[in-house]
Amino acid sequence: MPFKSQAQRRKFAELLLKGEISNQTFEEWNRETGSAKLPERVKPKANAKSATKRRTTSKAKRRSTSKTTGRGRSKAKRRGISKAKRRTTAKKAERK
């Protein structure tokens, strides 16, 4: 398996000096990497884990499902408006 970054190459060299990995292992990785120009560090992909877990459905499908089952959330609930606030808003509308 080739090295992915310069930092990883340095870490393996350090482990080689400590005797935690064999010279063969280090040489194998070094050989597979070749003379490729490596970045200093490689950052993990953002939200890679959560993106694979979450399933997304199209809006059209979600809308049709919520309308047919009657379990969809009202606009007020989606906006986070409390029941008390909805009541006062409804009373104001009745007065007009």
Side-chain angles (χ1 to χ4, degrees):
M1 186 168 188
F3 292 115
K4 292 185 178 183
S5 67
Q6 287 292 346
Q8 188 181 35
R9 185 177 274 177
R10 281 195 304 274
K11 180 67 175 179
F12 268 66
E14 183 183 325
L15 293 174
L16 177 64
L17 291 174
K18 288 182 181 178
E20 294 182 22
I21 62 169
S22 67
N23 191 26
Q24 284 180 324
T25 305
F26 182 76
E27 287 303 320
E28 179 184 339
W29 280 58
N30 212 15
R31 211 176 18 254
E32 287 183 25
T33 304
S35 61
K37 183 172 166 74
L38 299 174
E40 179 58 33
R41 298 203 183 279
V42 176
K43 294 182 180 179
K45 293 181 182 177
N47 296 330
K49 196 172 192 178
S50 64
T52 56
K53 280 186 175 182
R54 186 175 44 208
R55 281 191 178 165
T56 57
T57 57
S58 67
K59 280 188 177 183
K61 188 173 184 178
R62 283 185 284 193
R63 274 193 205 128
S64 65
T65 305
S66 64
K67 283 181 181 176
T68 56
T69 60
R71 295 182 184 202
R73 292 174 18 184
S74 68
K75 273 187 180 179
K77 280 187 178 179
R78 283 195 301 267
R79 291 184 188 149
I81 300 172
S82 68
K83 281 186 178 181
K85 180 74 173 179
R86 280 184 265 152
R87 270 187 248 131
T88 56
T89 307
K91 286 180 183 178
K92 284 180 184 178
E94 286 175 11
R95 287 184 206 153
K96 290 181 182 180

